């Protein structure tokens, strides 16, 4: 197959290429060359497929996430996960990391996609989150208290099929009574988890909003901080020293606050989201400008934050963090793919043929990502 691009972004920060043909063979990119002759598809702009480094496929963006999950059987949640994976793929998400699901839903979904039984992005799946007793995320988690329990939990999640680990370092917005700014899992507990995960070649992400919890998680050795809204200068230094990624999930508080007047969400969620948003607006841009590696991830599935809306996270990185359109695309492709570890998230020879056909240059209008002409994964059009 020969795909012609008026302008081609390869996922890096290199100058985009003009009037180029992408030659695809057996699901991978064989070569890229100057446009010539006939082609099978053409578009004004071609980019890599998007990579969402933070999603929850069993969640649908309901106003009250916890109540919605508790009202559904595991089978119903699995069916929602299948549907959401299909929606994400059609919207241009060709790779994703599910960072917390009840039962083994995310793991079963990942395997079904890999086997070609259902359409969806290629995935990493954390299985259940590891939280303290009564901690944030208990509704999709496993309670763990103490370093040795943590080691056992990591081993059991790996045995259950998890290929990454999610820790809960602080409170969060959606759990009643869990204060986002307060630390939950201890440094010792998270250090044990990271040591055990590294022995098993598993990468570790930590939900961390509060300052102390962010720094505890970084010192423990996590690969990524999810949210990170109350980071400080010391945390920025730790990010750079540890070569860790920041996944700011800008969509999560943004979507909650956009629907704050609807009366559907619990009051405590809106109150906490307002506080978190103030910190996010002050701190995340500062971290990016200081050179912290920012990877795209939306926390898809949280209130009004739907899986098919991930392209908006790219737009928010541009609007709120001051990234150029190409930097935002880079964060949501190559950087996020590096964090997940399944492929490089670039359009270069030998890489997976995951790409989007767009009707405008993203440098002129980044919103064009929200309406792709066509989505390809492994060189094949995404299922309708």
């Amino acid at each position: 197959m020969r795909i012609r691009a008026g302008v081609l972004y390869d996922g890096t920060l290199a100058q985009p290429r003009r009037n180029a043909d992408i030659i695809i063979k057996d699901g991978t990119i064989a070569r890229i060359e100057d446009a010539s002759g006939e082609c099978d598809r053409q578009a004004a702009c071609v980019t890599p497929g998007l990579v969402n480094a933070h999603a929850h496929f069993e969640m649908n963006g309901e106003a009250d996430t916890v109540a919605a999950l508790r009202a559904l059987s595991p089978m119903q949640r699995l069916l929602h996960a299948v549907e959401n994976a299909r929606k994400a793929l059609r919207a241009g998400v060709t790779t994703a990391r599910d960072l917390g699901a009840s039962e083994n839903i995310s793991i079963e979904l990942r395997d079904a996609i890999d086997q070609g039984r259902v359409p969806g992005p290629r995935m990493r799946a954390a299985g259940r989150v590891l939280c303290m007793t009564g901690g944030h995320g208990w509704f999709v988690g496993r309670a763990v208290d103490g370093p040795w329990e943590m080691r056992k939990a990591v081993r059991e999640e790996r045995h259950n099929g998890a290929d990454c680990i999610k820790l809960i370092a602080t409170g969060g917005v959606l759990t009643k009574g869990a204060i986002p700014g307060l630390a939950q899992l201890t440094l010792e507990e998270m250090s044990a988890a990271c040591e055990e995960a590294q022995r098993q070649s598993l990468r570790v992400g930590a939900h961390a909003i509060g300052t102390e919890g962010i720094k505890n998680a970084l010192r423990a050795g996590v690969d990524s901080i999810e949210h990170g809204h109350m980071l400080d200068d010391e945390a920025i230094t730790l990010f750079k020293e540890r070569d860790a990624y920041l996944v700011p999930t800008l969509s999560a508080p943004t979507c909650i606050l956009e629907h704050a007047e609807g009366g559907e969400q619990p009051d405590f969620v809106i109150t906490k989201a307002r506080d978190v948003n103030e910190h996010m607006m002050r701190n995340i841009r500062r971290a990016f400008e200081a050179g912290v590696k920012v990877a795209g991830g939306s926390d898809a599935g949280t209130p009004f934050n739907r899986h098919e809306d991930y392209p908006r996270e790219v737009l928010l990185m541009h609007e709120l963090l001051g990234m150029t359109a190409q930097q935002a695309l880079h964060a949501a492709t190559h950087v996020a793919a590096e964090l997940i570890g399944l492929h490089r998230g670039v359009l270069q020879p030998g890489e997976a043929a995951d790409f989007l056909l767009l009707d405008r240059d993203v440098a002129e209008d980044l919103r064009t990502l929200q309406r792709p002409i066509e989505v390809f994964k492994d060189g094949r059009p995404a299922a309708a």
Side-chain angles (χ1 to χ4, degrees), residues 280-298:
M280 180 182 81
M281 299 297 285
R282 287 198 304 266
N283 296 328
I284 303 299
R285 183 169 185 158
R286 189 158 57 91
F288 166 66
E289 291 174 347
V292 173
K293 294 189 295 186
V294 174
S298 67

Side-chain angles (χ1 to χ4, degrees), residues 45-168:
C45 181
V46 177
T47 73
L50 299 179
V51 180
N52 190 346
H54 191 134
H56 301 279
F57 281 106
E58 69 176 335
M59 302 179 188
N60 304 304
E62 296 96 341
D64 189 337
T65 301
V66 178
L69 282 173
R70 296 181 74 180
L72 297 172
S73 70
M75 185 64 71
Q76 289 171 317
R77 294 197 295 271
L78 176 59
L79 291 172
H80 284 308
V82 169
E83 183 178 1
N84 287 328
R86 179 181 59 82
K87 289 178 179 178
L89 179 60
R90 291 180 61 191
V93 179
T94 54
T95 301
R97 184 176 59 157
D98 190 301
L99 277 183
S102 60
E103 310 294 333
N104 269 4
I105 286 174
S106 62
I107 294 164
E108 296 288 355
L109 175 65
R110 177 203 64 202
D111 292 349
I113 291 170
D114 286 348
Q115 295 160 10
R117 292 189 285 124
V118 297
R122 58 174 55 80
M123 285 176 57
R124 292 283 194 204
R128 295 176 294 177
V129 306
L130 305 184
C131 61
M132 73 176 196
T133 297
H136 172 65
W138 61 265
F139 45 90
V140 290
R142 169 191 175 134
V144 181
D145 298 294
W148 283 106
E149 277 195 24
M150 183 63 78
R151 288 184 184 276
K152 183 176 182 180
V154 170
R155 292 168 180 173
E156 288 188 353
E157 288 305 307
R158 177 69 181 87
H159 177 71
N160 290 338
D163 51 17
C164 58
I165 297 295
K166 170 79 170 291
L167 305 176
I168 303 298

Side-chain angles (χ1 to χ4, degrees), residues 40 84 120 194 198 200 218 221 285 295 304 323 353 367:
D40 298 288
N84 287 328
C194 290
Q198 289 161 5
Q200 304 289 337
L218 289 168
R285 183 169 185 158
F304 304 100
M323 291 184 176
R367 289 178 176 81

Side-chain angles (χ1 to χ4, degrees), residues 295-314:
S298 67
D299 209 1
T302 54
F304 304 100
N305 181 10
R306 296 182 173 87
H307 296 269
E308 62 268 32
D309 295 334
Y310 180 60
R312 192 183 177 204
E313 181 75 20
V314 189

Side-chain angles (χ1 to χ4, degrees), residues 198-211:
Q198 289 161 5
R199 290 179 60 239
Q200 304 289 337
S201 298
L202 303 178
R203 299 185 184 187
V204 181
H207 162 102
I209 296 175
T211 310

Side-chain angles (χ1 to χ4, degrees), residues 2-24 29-35 41-49 326 329-330 333 345-349 352-358 360-363:
R2 181 180 289 264
I3 305 293
R4 181 157 300 159
V7 57
L8 171 65
Y9 292 87
D10 69 359
T12 72
L13 294 176
Q15 188 73 16
R17 187 166 174 171
R18 307 279 171 172
N19 299 317
D21 283 355
I22 308 168
I23 314 304
I24 299 164
I29 296 172
R31 63 187 186 277
I32 299 174
E33 58 191 27
D34 292 339
R41 301 278 204 289
Q42 59 183 339
C45 181
V46 177
T47 73
Q326 187 172 3
L329 180 66
H330 174 62
T333 54
V346 295
L347 296 179
Q348 293 176 355
D354 294 359
F355 56 90
L356 312 182
L357 305 185
L358 306 171
R360 294 194 66 182
D361 185 343
V362 293

Side-chain angles (χ1 to χ4, degrees), residues 16 29 31 35 76 91 101 120 123 132 153 170 173 175 182 188 276 283 295 307 320-321 329 350 369:
I29 296 172
R31 63 187 186 277
Q76 289 171 317
M123 285 176 57
M132 73 176 196
T170 74
V173 171
T175 304
L182 294 185
E188 292 75 18
V276 163
N283 296 328
H307 296 269
L320 301 183
L321 305 187
L329 180 66
L369 284 171

